[in-house]
Amino acid sequence: MSYQLSSKGKNQILCYYANATHLVQVVRIANIPNWYMERVIFPGQRLMFEAPAEAVLEIHTGMVATAILSDKIPCYVLRVIEEVSSELELVIPEERCAVLAS
């Protein structure tokens, strides 16, 4: 599953999130002016999406009526690190990025 913003900017990054719990989660980004993303993520489901580097992914876990905000993750931490050529610079330093194990 993938989600792209309608207005692409220079600071867009590809992000990855996986629901490693046994509960349904609602993930959302609401801190970007004039843009909002919300998705339901089932247990074991993965999500790839593009978002501004300054976006924050909110994770709401639990039942529909009792869902609580369980985490907030800056999107730069969820960034998918792609191989880049040596003449290109990363927008965000590697030490601020999470590395995904396969």
Side-chain angles (χ1 to χ4, degrees):
M1 174 184 264
S2 134
Y3 183 81
Q4 290 187 338
L5 294 172
S6 57
S7 59
K8 295 217 177 227
K10 291 182 180 180
N11 67 340
Q12 297 292 306
I13 58 173
L14 181 62
C15 303
Y16 171 87
Y17 176 76
N19 179 357
T21 73
H22 65 283
L23 300 170
V24 173
Q25 296 181 328
V26 174
V27 298
R28 76 175 56 119
I29 296 174
N31 71 314
I32 304 299
N34 302 316
W35 184 72
Y36 183 81
M37 181 193 87
E38 183 173 281
R39 293 286 182 269
V40 174
I41 309 295
F42 292 97
Q45 189 174 12
R46 298 172 228 156
L47 175 69
M48 290 192 82
F49 59 96
E50 286 186 339
E54 65 273 13
V56 175
L57 187 71
E58 297 177 358
I59 316 297
H60 298 263
T61 304
M63 306 305 288
V64 174
T66 61
I68 59 165
L69 176 62
S70 57
D71 206 356
K72 285 187 174 184
I73 306 171
C75 286
Y76 68 79
V77 173
L78 301 172
R79 181 174 179 228
V80 174
I81 300 172
E82 300 177 40
E83 191 174 316
V84 294
S85 62
S86 60
E87 64 268 4
L88 296 177
E89 293 183 22
L90 291 174
V91 174
I92 299 172
E94 270 190 51
E95 62 270 7
R96 293 181 64 191
C97 298
V99 177
L100 301 174
S102 50

